[in-house]
């Protein structure tokens, strides 16, 4: 089994990455392989509504100038997916939105490629807007027919500067609980 975590933050190794790694540590402790992909320095184009994914049905997006198809292959190969995003104007980053739109359309066009995978949202926030960000990612999981495990609170951590989230004890506890719950669900579904 494998869990792929995608850090949609423009900051490499910032608060979102810290939160993802906290959850991944619990998943790894359960004997499940993990991989963290950070999108720092990368630009993923949005969907252009060309409908080639519906016409070709090859499991890939027609846009090939960015890493979306590489990420999509990793998503399909993994049993679990963590999507992490800081909160930008009460929503996900543009890279995460592009993944949601393009991977979502390719999945739907190809007999629900992501169905029954385990998915969880991880959100970093300075102050407000995290619930909308959390909901945006979860809506992608639900429309993709994925299984979404819960935690002890909504999967968010508070902090502005890189590393600030390490002071959010409840946020880190939520990430540890999420990792344990995700590992439990994965072993029930795939072991």
């Amino acid at each position: 089994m494998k869990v792929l975590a995608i850090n949609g933050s423009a900051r490499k190794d910032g608060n979102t990455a810290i939160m993802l790694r906290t959850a991944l540590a619990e998943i790894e402790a359960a004997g499940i392989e993990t991989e963290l992909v950070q999108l720092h320095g990368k630009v993923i184009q949005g969907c252009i509504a060309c409908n080639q994914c519906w016409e070709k049905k090859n499991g890939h997006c027609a846009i090939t100038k960015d890493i979306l198809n590489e990420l999509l292959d990793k998503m399909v190969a993994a049993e679990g997916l963590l999507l992490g995003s800081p909160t930008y104007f009460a929503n996900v980053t543009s890279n995460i939105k592009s993944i949601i739109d393009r991977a979502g359309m390719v999945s739907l066009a190809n007999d629900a490629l992501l169905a029954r995978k385990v998915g969880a949202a991880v959100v970093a926030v300075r102050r407000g807007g995290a619930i909308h960000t959390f909901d945006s990612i979860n809506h992608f999981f639900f429309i993709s027919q994925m299984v979404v495990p819960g935690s002890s609170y909504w999967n968010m951590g508070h902090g502005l500067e890189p590393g600030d989230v390490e002071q959010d004890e409840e946020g880190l506890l939520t990430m540890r609980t999420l990792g344990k719950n995700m590992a439990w669900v994965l072993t029930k579904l795939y072991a």
Side-chain angles (χ1 to χ4, degrees), residues 2-42:
K2 184 172 185 177
V3 171
L4 173 69
I6 300 175
N7 177 10
S9 177
R11 292 178 172 169
K12 184 178 181 182
D13 297 324
N15 290 323
T16 308
I18 291 166
M19 294 170 56
L20 287 166
R21 284 191 177 107
T22 301
L24 289 174
E26 299 296 333
I27 294 166
E28 291 167 1
I32 298 170
E33 181 184 353
T34 67
E35 178 182 0
L36 173 63
V37 174
Q38 300 200 62
L39 300 182
H40 163 74
K42 303 208 174 3

Side-chain angles (χ1 to χ4, degrees), residues 2-188:
K2 184 172 185 177
V3 171
L4 173 69
I6 300 175
N7 177 10
S9 177
R11 292 178 172 169
K12 184 178 181 182
D13 297 324
N15 290 323
T16 308
I18 291 166
M19 294 170 56
L20 287 166
R21 284 191 177 107
T22 301
L24 289 174
E26 299 296 333
I27 294 166
E28 291 167 1
I32 298 170
E33 181 184 353
T34 67
E35 178 182 0
L36 173 63
V37 174
Q38 300 200 62
L39 300 182
H40 163 74
K42 303 208 174 3
V43 175
I44 301 175
Q45 180 179 325
C47 181
I48 60 171
C50 68
N51 288 323
Q52 290 296 306
C53 53
W54 291 92
E55 292 174 23
K56 293 183 179 179
K57 295 192 179 291
N58 63 1
H60 285 107
C61 180
I63 300 168
T64 58
K65 65 181 182 180
D66 58 30
I67 65 164
L68 187 278
N69 284 324
E70 177 186 334
L71 290 174
L72 187 54
D73 288 343
K74 289 175 182 276
M75 292 164 72
V76 170
E79 288 75 24
L81 176 63
L82 288 170
L83 275 185
S85 180
T87 304
Y88 282 15
F89 290 90
N91 213 331
V92 295
T93 62
S94 57
N95 273 343
I96 290 295
K97 180 62 173 142
S98 294
I99 290 170
I100 288 171
D101 291 348
R102 288 174 56 202
M105 287 301 285
V106 170
S107 177
L108 290 173
N110 289 273
D111 299 319
L113 287 174
L114 302 175
R116 289 174 281 295
K117 294 184 182 295
V118 179
V122 171
V123 177
V125 63
R126 180 193 69 80
R127 188 115 183 112
I131 292 298
H132 185 76
T133 305
F134 182 68
D135 288 345
S136 293
I137 297 171
N138 281 322
H139 287 141
F140 165 63
F141 293 148
F142 291 136
I143 201 168
S144 298
Q145 302 177 45
M146 294 174 69
V147 177
V148 178
S151 186
S152 54
Y153 199 74
W154 295 280
N155 305 336
M156 65 180 77
H158 290 83
L160 175 60
E161 296 302 323
D164 282 355
V165 77
E166 292 173 335
Q167 305 307 310
D168 182 3
E169 293 179 27
E170 185 176 9
L172 293 177
L173 174 62
T174 301
M175 290 301 103
R176 288 191 291 275
T177 303
L178 173 64
K180 289 175 186 174
N181 288 346
M182 190 165 192
W184 184 86
V185 171
L186 283 162
T187 57
K188 296 298 180 187

